[in-house]
Amino acid sequence: MSGFRFPVGRLPDEALLSGLATGDAELAVTFVRRFQHRVFGVAMAVTRDPQLAEDVAQQTFERAWRHAQIYDSRRGSVTTWLTTIAHNLAIDAVRARRSEPVAPEDLDALLGIVTETPERWALADEASSRLRAAVARLPRGQARALVMAGIYGMTAQQIADRERIPLGTAKTRIRAAMAKLRTILAAETSQNRGDHDQ
């Protein structure tokens, strides 16, 4: 037989992650290749900066390697686990660079990503899908204020400066967005309960 080898590319995600944990170089490379585009996509969606997204992707795989042994499949797939790590690291990276202004057009693109391509955010559970849909229903100004506060971690003053609106308006937009979000989600929850009761 000429060089028969088990096709590691067909191994399940969990097996590749176990290989990463044990330091198997071939499995580690296969693991990175399998997920690198998705991880980079998540990082890009949040950071909007290719260089920063590359750094975040590298940190994601380093963290996955360090924490591979504590992965619990009952809490979600390897894909969800890994992309959640990427998402959190990307948010941290954006917050660390918060002194750099956020371009309004970038925010609009980010809102588009939240509502149009949820897989790139890798928040695949039902609750976050409902949250994305609810954010999409908010007036644009309120949605932008909410994203700036919630994702970028900006203060009301920073939002006011960025949007060129009075501080009071920024605070009102954040409060109104949160209230509408709660109302939308509560209405959906009670509607879903009603559907189940019928």
Side-chain angles (χ1 to χ4, degrees):
M1 290 181 70
S2 57
F4 173 78
R5 224 169 88 255
F6 186 81
V8 293
R10 292 186 193 164
L11 284 172
D13 296 345
E14 288 82 0
L16 289 181
L17 184 60
S18 297
L20 185 70
T22 60
D24 183 301
E26 186 179 13
L27 293 179
V29 167
T30 305
F31 181 84
V32 170
R33 283 190 180 144
R34 182 173 293 181
F35 292 105
Q36 64 188 1
H37 293 299
R38 190 167 302 173
V39 166
F40 181 76
V42 170
M44 262 305 282
V46 177
T47 64
R48 314 296 296 164
D49 177 333
Q51 185 59 55
L52 190 57
E54 276 184 30
D55 293 344
V56 166
Q58 185 173 344
Q59 289 171 29
T60 300
F61 287 111
E62 286 170 6
R63 187 164 293 187
W65 171 67
R66 285 200 307 271
H67 297 286
Q69 285 144 336
I70 60 170
Y71 163 73
D72 183 355
S73 60
R74 292 169 298 184
R75 297 181 62 186
S77 67
V78 171
T79 302
T80 301
W81 177 73
L82 190 64
T83 49
T84 300
I85 292 172
H87 180 253
N88 292 339
L89 286 172
I91 288 174
D92 290 345
V94 168
R95 285 183 175 154
R97 292 175 54 171
R98 199 164 55 201
S99 57
E100 295 184 15
V102 181
E105 59 272 18
D106 287 350
L107 251 183
D108 286 330
L110 180 58
L111 280 169
I113 287 163
V114 172
T115 55
E116 291 162 25
T117 55
E119 66 279 1
R120 289 186 63 189
W121 265 53
L123 299 172
D125 61 330
E126 185 184 345
S128 59
S129 297
R130 284 173 52 227
L131 185 59
R132 277 194 303 275
V135 169
R137 289 167 59 185
L138 295 174
R140 200 70 176 173
Q142 290 178 11
R144 285 168 60 88
L146 188 68
V147 167
M148 281 191 267
I151 293 176
Y152 283 87
M154 294 171 76
T155 65
Q157 184 61 62
Q158 289 170 321
I159 293 168
D161 294 344
R162 164 57 38 199
E163 297 288 273
R164 294 185 175 86
I165 55 175
L167 177 59
T169 304
K171 287 180 177 177
T172 300
R173 284 184 183 178
I174 296 167
R175 273 197 306 268
M178 291 300 292
K180 281 183 183 162
L181 216 51
R182 275 194 290 270
T183 303
I184 292 168
L185 293 173
E188 285 180 3
T189 302
S190 61
Q191 182 184 352
N192 289 342
R193 282 203 194 106
D195 292 343
H196 290 313
D197 292 342
Q198 289 172 10

